[in-house]
Amino acid sequence: SFGGVWAERPTNNVVYKNLRTNLPKQVMQSPDLDFPSSLPSYVDGRALGAYISTYAEKFGVEATFGARVLEVTPLADDRWQVKYETQQGCVEDDYDAVVVCNGHYEAPYIPEIPGQDEWLNGDRSIIHSLHYNVPEPYEGKSVLIVGGRSSGVDISRELQNVADWTYIIEKKCSDLVSDSQKRVTHVPVGAALNADGHLYVDSTKAPGPPVDS
């Protein structure tokens, strides 16, 4: 259906329950259709999916879902011939333009932290944000987040409300920075995870309790 990962029935589970866009609706909306004025500037996934569906319905956007593109060929009149396959068989259609949206963020990448193999045991686990949905499973735990970009910052904010402590490894961090009131420690890249759960930068132990997850 229209909306992809933002749809009511998404193509995958990359959008966690409480995710909000990191751009205001005024920047994302099309010039010919505004978001509802009742919505906040930063909308959730459901609202964005509804906007895309509304746009498609209002302007009569047609789509073929579940198709597999087999071949794209430029034509002499600056148009494009696209050969694709559906459950009904192969089809060839001509188009004025082709936009390739390859979804390069769909395959999760999990970087390895020095010492993580010794740290892992039956009570500890490593997951990618693709498999994160809600913060409740991490209540009372000390959680290490690797990455300080949009999803990392977003999830760390959620966890601060329930987790015992949150560690964030991020490239822009050059030294250990800890805030005991917010129960968070920012850690530079290159930190090692000890078997007892403590993080070390060279020989300096990061402030905070042992990492649980």
Side-chain angles (χ1 to χ4, degrees):
S1 61
F2 283 103
V5 299
W6 307 103
E8 188 172 348
R9 292 183 295 276
T11 52
N12 61 36
N13 296 319
V14 68
V15 177
Y16 39 92
K17 183 178 179 180
N18 299 321
L19 185 147
R20 289 188 175 273
T21 60
N22 59 356
L23 292 174
K25 65 182 183 182
Q26 293 84 355
V27 174
M28 296 189 297
Q29 65 191 15
S30 175
D32 46 15
L33 181 65
D34 291 346
F35 276 89
S37 59
S38 58
L39 291 176
S41 288
Y42 295 88
V43 300
D44 60 21
R46 183 180 295 273
L48 182 52
Y51 174 84
I52 296 171
S53 295
T54 299
Y55 187 97
E57 182 178 354
K58 180 174 182 177
F59 295 102
V61 178
E62 299 180 1
T64 301
F65 298 105
R68 178 172 175 262
V69 177
L70 303 175
E71 189 175 332
V72 178
T73 305
L75 301 175
D77 57 356
D78 290 332
R79 303 187 78 217
W80 298 84
Q81 183 179 82
V82 179
K83 182 179 180 180
Y84 58 94
E85 182 180 30
T86 68
Q87 292 182 343
Q88 287 72 42
C90 290
V91 181
E92 286 186 1
D93 282 324
D94 294 350
Y95 297 94
D96 295 320
V98 173
V99 179
V100 178
C101 306
N102 61 343
H104 62 287
Y105 286 124
E106 185 165 335
Y109 168 69
I110 300 180
E112 185 171 342
I113 304 168
Q116 72 177 37
D117 290 340
E118 292 75 17
W119 169 82
L120 274 171
N121 59 34
D123 297 323
R124 294 166 171 170
S125 62
I126 298 174
I127 70 164
H128 190 273
S129 59
L130 174 67
H131 304 294
Y132 172 87
N133 189 36
V134 292
E136 283 75 16
Y138 305 95
E139 184 173 359
K141 295 184 176 182
S142 299
V143 183
L144 169 62
I145 295 174
V146 180
R149 299 296 294 272
S150 298
S151 59
V153 171
D154 207 19
I155 292 172
S156 68
R157 286 173 179 165
E158 281 201 351
L159 292 179
Q160 281 185 7
N161 296 321
V162 299
D164 180 50
W165 200 276
T166 305
Y167 297 92
I168 307 170
I169 294 180
E170 51 185 328
K171 290 181 179 179
K172 65 181 181 181
C173 180
S174 56
D175 296 297
L176 287 167
V177 179
S178 186
D179 187 327
S180 58
Q181 289 187 333
K182 294 182 177 179
R183 307 186 310 280
V184 61
T185 300
H186 294 267
V187 183
V189 172
L193 190 57
N194 203 42
D196 64 3
H198 286 288
L199 279 165
Y200 284 83
V201 178
D202 297 326
S203 58
T204 304
K205 184 170 71 172
V211 175
D212 296 314
S213 181

